[in-house]
Amino acid sequence: MGEGLTINAKKILVAVCGGIAAYKVAELVRLLRKQTMQVRVVMTQSACEFITPLTFQALSGHPVQTRLLDEQQENSMGHINLARWADVIIVAPATANMMAKLSYGLADDLISTLCLAANCPIYVAPAMNQSMWQKAVTQENLARLEQHGMVIIPPEAGEQACGEIGIGRMAEPVVILQQIQQGFLKSPERVIENVPLDEKHLTTGLLKGVKVLISAGPTREPLDPVRFLTNRSSGKMGYALAEAALQAGAIVTLVSGPVQLKAPAAVLLIEVETAEQMYQAVLSAAPQQAIYIGAAAVADYTPVQVEGQKIKTEGGENTLFLQKTKDILASVAALKQRPFVVGFAAETDQLEVYAKGKLLRKGIDLIAANWVGQKQGGFDKDENALHVFWHEGEKKLAMTDKKTLAHQLIELIMERMNEKNTAKNSG
Ligand code: PMT
């Protein structure tokens, strides 16, 4: 998982301490903003010796707080509100001094007080001289931080700013970003709970508190810096399912390929481009879910090689070498701790034969087959019809708008899942 994967609109509080690695945190803030996360920055006084608050203000788009009690900042968010606001706090670079304070629950400056007041996950990215890192007392503090539930993003080995060589360089910003993304995938509910459901999202209660993971839209498989292979999926079917699941009270994570649609604020949206990125995002989140619905039109093949430069046309004919992508549905179905797995089948002929084949071959629980490439329904249309198969039966859902159809499919999924669970419990 890398920069290509986007988790939107989450609130990250970046707490910068005084170390030379503070300059790297500017890049971290830039990356977080690029991921459309909301970022606020707080700094210790000594951090301001290494990098100015103005730099972080420009990068985050918000004033930077540097003191616990500061009349001049009385219009800014108070430290308790700031601790409540954050979905995640990242302390970077975490100095040996700050680690010691956090490990003992001291609260004598803005950052240590915020961390003590916070209920959200706290990530700590240490950076210090290699001897300081190796000292038994630092390692004891580290162990204590972990015992108290903080997530350590370990420092790396290499040449240090002081000229010494050893462990102590702060992890690269992209590594810190990936850890934060992974954390969101593993526990989306905290993030989603922060978004109040509006009237449109009145719950039917059918899926109250149930975790549902949905994939939607197409994938893009790059050929060169400007060209890619894709398909006609608009994401309408998958987004309608996300909305329907939300209305039924579910905690929804939506993994989406590039589409022109706006996701409901109350879903955890993870934006991806390629089939590989979709695979990584879905497989990271799937073990914590009750239901997975694969409505995305995932590329079955991807170019063996992505050219670094635009492919030239002078040579006349060209041959493309493609390789199979990983089968996301089958991989989720093969997990030890697996959700109820629902696939889609997009068919232009022999719908029933191919759909039933996919149901068996991919080892899933239910498959919703639709005709594609026809006048009505399928790719990029507002309406659709589904022929749904499971191991013991089938049901036809007639042509209607995708939103209505999504509600019908969610109800059917719940029925089948309850039936499967009842059978499992009584058998
Ligand atoms: O997005 P819309 O414009 O609203 O259109 C909706 C839709 C037609 C895209 C949707 O209803 C649909 O049929 N989605 C699945 C499209 C598809 O890729 O079907 P398939 O028969 O090729 O794949 C079968 C299943 O395997 C699908 O659930 C697919 O997500 C999954 N798959 C495929 C390849 C792969 N590498 N991994 C997968 O998980």
Side-chain angles (χ1 to χ4, degrees), residues 215-218 231-239 259 261 275 278 292-301 324-331 342-347 358 362 364 367-372 377-381 384 386 402:
S215 71
N231 59 65
R232 295 181 191 278
S233 171
S234 62
K236 286 177 190 166
M237 193 68 243
Y239 276 58
V259 296
L261 305 173
M278 189 169 275
Y292 170 57
I293 309 175
V298 187
D300 292 307
Y301 289 92
K324 282 284 276 179
T325 55
K326 293 175 190 149
D327 191 319
I328 303 171
L329 265 183
S331 308
V342 178
F344 268 73
E347 308 298 346
K358 287 174 187 174
K362 294 176 186 253
I364 61 179
I367 195 152
N370 44 195
W371 290 101
V372 291
F379 286 103
D380 201 20
K381 303 278 173 30
N384 204 8
L386 295 171
K402 284 182 176 168

Side-chain angles (χ1 to χ4, degrees), residues 317-364:
E317 282 188 3
N318 210 334
T319 307
L320 257 186
F321 289 97
L322 302 175
Q323 60 191 351
K324 282 284 276 179
T325 55
K326 293 175 190 149
D327 191 319
I328 303 171
L329 265 183
S331 308
V332 174
L335 288 173
K336 220 166 163 199
Q337 196 187 332
R338 95 203 248 290
F340 186 84
V341 184
V342 178
F344 268 73
E347 308 298 346
T348 54
D349 60 313
Q350 299 189 65
L351 178 137
E352 183 164 344
V353 175
Y354 286 124
K356 283 183 168 169
K358 287 174 187 174
L359 176 73
L360 287 175
R361 203 171 56 248
K362 294 176 186 253
I364 61 179

Side-chain angles (χ1 to χ4, degrees), residues 30 36 47 50 96 114 143 179 214 221 238 243 256 282-283 287 310 335-336 353 360 363 383 410:
R30 192 191 67 78
T36 67
F50 289 90
L114 271 168
Q179 292 266 350
I214 297 168
E221 308 305 315
E243 184 88 22
S256 177
V282 168
L283 267 289
K310 189 176 166 213
L335 288 173
K336 220 166 163 199
V353 175
L360 287 175
E383 73 287 348
I410 290 286

Side-chain angles (χ1 to χ4, degrees), residues 42-346:
V42 293
M43 300 171 74
T44 60
Q45 290 297 301
S46 50
C48 302
E49 306 279 332
F50 289 90
I51 183 165
T52 67
L54 198 59
T55 304
F56 285 116
Q57 177 170 327
L59 288 168
S60 69
H62 292 281
V64 172
Q65 296 191 34
T66 58
R67 289 174 197 277
L68 184 55
L69 303 167
D70 188 344
E71 324 169 327
Q72 297 207 323
Q73 293 187 351
E74 64 187 12
N75 292 331
S76 312
M77 234 189 257
H79 62 275
I80 298 290
N81 286 344
L82 208 47
R84 297 286 166 273
W85 170 86
D87 291 320
V88 154
I89 296 177
I90 165 80
V91 185
T95 55
N97 183 48
M98 184 56 75
M99 281 174 62
K101 287 207 255 187
L102 297 182
S103 78
Y104 279 101
L106 297 188
D108 65 348
D109 66 5
L110 178 58
I111 292 180
S112 54
T113 307
L114 271 168
C115 289
L116 196 60
N119 297 318
C120 65
I122 300 176
Y123 291 77
V124 177
M128 65 196 72
N129 167 271
Q130 52 94 21
S131 304
M132 291 166 80
W133 174 252
Q134 277 169 12
K135 278 276 155 62
V137 66
T138 305
Q139 292 303 312
E140 281 163 26
N141 290 338
L142 184 70
R144 229 184 335 269
L145 289 175
E146 284 183 312
Q147 273 164 23
H148 289 290
M150 298 193 199
V151 183
I152 308 296
I153 305 175
E156 294 167 358
E159 191 175 348
Q160 302 203 286
C162 55
E164 293 182 15
I165 293 175
I167 301 172
R169 284 159 50 137
M170 192 181 82
E172 290 304 316
V174 71
V175 173
I176 299 176
L177 173 72
Q178 284 171 351
Q179 292 266 350
I180 294 172
Q181 288 174 325
Q182 289 285 356
F184 280 134
L185 291 179
K186 294 212 168 86
S187 58
E189 63 271 40
R190 189 192 142 74
V191 176
I192 292 165
E193 269 167 16
N194 284 347
V195 183
L197 292 181
D198 58 28
E199 261 186 37
K200 251 175 59 198
H201 293 113
L202 282 180
T203 167
T204 61
L206 193 65
L207 285 173
K208 196 154 195 305
V210 175
K211 289 187 189 172
V212 179
L213 175 66
I214 297 168
S215 71
T219 61
R220 285 181 181 170
E221 308 305 315
L223 288 161
D224 66 21
V226 292
R227 303 185 180 98
F228 49 79
L229 299 176
T230 191
N231 59 65
R232 295 181 191 278
S233 171
S234 62
K236 286 177 190 166
M237 193 68 243
Y239 276 58
L241 283 162
E243 184 88 22
L246 205 60
Q247 287 177 6
I251 295 165
V252 182
T253 302
L254 177 62
V255 178
S256 177
V259 296
Q260 301 299 319
L261 305 173
K262 194 168 175 338
V267 306
L268 176 68
L269 176 67
I270 301 159
E271 294 180 297
V272 297
E273 277 207 16
T274 64
E276 176 62 24
Q277 285 170 0
M278 189 169 275
Y279 172 88
Q280 296 294 343
V282 168
L283 267 289
S284 296
Q288 297 87 41
Q289 306 290 322
I291 300 171
Y292 170 57
I293 309 175
V298 187
D300 292 307
Y301 289 92
T302 191
V304 170
Q305 197 178 331
V306 183
E307 299 300 334
Q309 306 298 329
K310 189 176 166 213
I311 298 168
K312 303 293 178 287
T313 49
E314 284 84 52
E317 282 188 3
N318 210 334
T319 307
L320 257 186
F321 289 97
L322 302 175
Q323 60 191 351
K324 282 284 276 179
T325 55
K326 293 175 190 149
D327 191 319
I328 303 171
L329 265 183
S331 308
V332 174
L335 288 173
K336 220 166 163 199
Q337 196 187 332
R338 95 203 248 290
F340 186 84
V341 184
V342 178
F344 268 73

